[in-house]
Amino acid sequence: GTPTPDFSLSANPASQTIQQGSTASSTITVTSLNSYNKPVTLSFTNCPAGATCSFATNPVTPTGTSVFTITGASAGTYPNITVSGTDGTLTHTTNVSVTVVAPDFSISASPSSVTITQGNTASSTITVTSSNSYSKAVTLSVTNCPLNATCSFVTNPVTPAANGSANSSLSVTGLTAGSYSLTVRGTDGTLTHTTAVNVTVNPPPGDFTITAP
């Protein structure tokens, strides 16, 4: 017998990763099989919560295409966005998977443990590292700088290049003998991360301490 006219659906790309705030686009192709030529109406299910999903062209007469866009999706993985096409009788589906990543940064200290003699300066290099194309200015501070000590950064704020890093040198002066766990904080006003710098200050030469028995 004569082959039955039909159509197929495909998505390109079927899977993609985008930055939060960007638009995900996939070209939906409706392919005619066996001289099929009816208009096919497209629809979707599982559009991410809070996002807007739409088709540039709808319906589509095969063989034809429509661009499917997803805007406003929050960071997360959305593996099961289903695009359906129907002419009222025949229905076919294809799957679109979208991962939305949020720009962010991390903060680290090297060295993270410093030992000095009282009267000297404790120094550590603070590195702000971008992930997912983060490139905002990050303001550094020491949230618990000891009383009578001075905590300062050579460069502040620091702005990492997208997917790169930027450094600033932390200097701490005026510390008396003892052990200190300093918290270095980095913030862009929205995102905040911290790292620890542990400083041990030994008494100056010739000094001594008396410990009660």
Side-chain angles (χ1 to χ4, degrees):
T2 304
T4 303
D6 201 350
F7 69 92
S8 64
L9 276 187
S10 62
N12 183 32
S15 178
Q16 60 189 292
T17 298
I18 63 165
Q19 295 285 338
Q20 187 172 346
S22 299
T23 297
S25 297
S26 182
T27 299
I28 307 300
T29 300
V30 184
T31 302
S32 168
L33 305 174
N34 306 318
S35 301
Y36 180 95
N37 62 359
K38 294 181 182 178
V40 173
T41 299
L42 302 173
S43 61
F44 54 80
T45 55
N46 299 326
C47 185
T52 301
C53 296
S54 61
F55 298 99
T57 306
N58 199 12
V60 176
T61 300
T63 293
T65 62
S66 181
V67 177
F68 177 54
T69 58
I70 303 166
T71 58
S74 303
T77 301
Y78 306 97
N80 297 310
I81 303 167
T82 302
V83 174
S84 300
T86 185
D87 64 2
T89 304
L90 301 171
T91 300
H92 296 291
T93 63
T94 190
N95 202 65
V96 176
S97 172
V98 177
T99 300
V100 182
V101 295
D104 202 352
F105 71 92
S106 60
I107 184 170
S108 60
S110 179
S112 56
S113 293
V114 184
T115 300
I116 63 166
T117 301
Q118 184 175 325
N120 292 338
T121 299
S123 298
S124 180
T125 298
I126 307 302
T127 301
V128 176
T129 302
S130 159
S131 60
N132 300 324
S133 299
Y134 182 94
S135 61
K136 294 182 181 178
V138 175
T139 300
L140 302 172
S141 62
V142 177
T143 62
N144 57 343
C145 190
L147 190 67
N148 299 323
T150 300
C151 301
S152 60
F153 298 92
V154 171
T155 305
N156 198 13
V158 294
T159 305
N163 301 318
S165 61
N167 296 332
S168 183
S169 180
L170 166 65
S171 295
V172 185
T173 59
L175 290 172
T176 55
S179 295
Y180 305 88
S181 181
L182 307 179
T183 299
V184 178
R185 177 179 185 263
T187 184
D188 64 6
T190 304
L191 300 171
T192 300
H193 296 291
T194 62
T195 192
V197 177
N198 297 306
V199 181
T200 300
V201 182
N202 293 323
D207 200 359
F208 61 92
T209 56
I210 299 173
T211 304

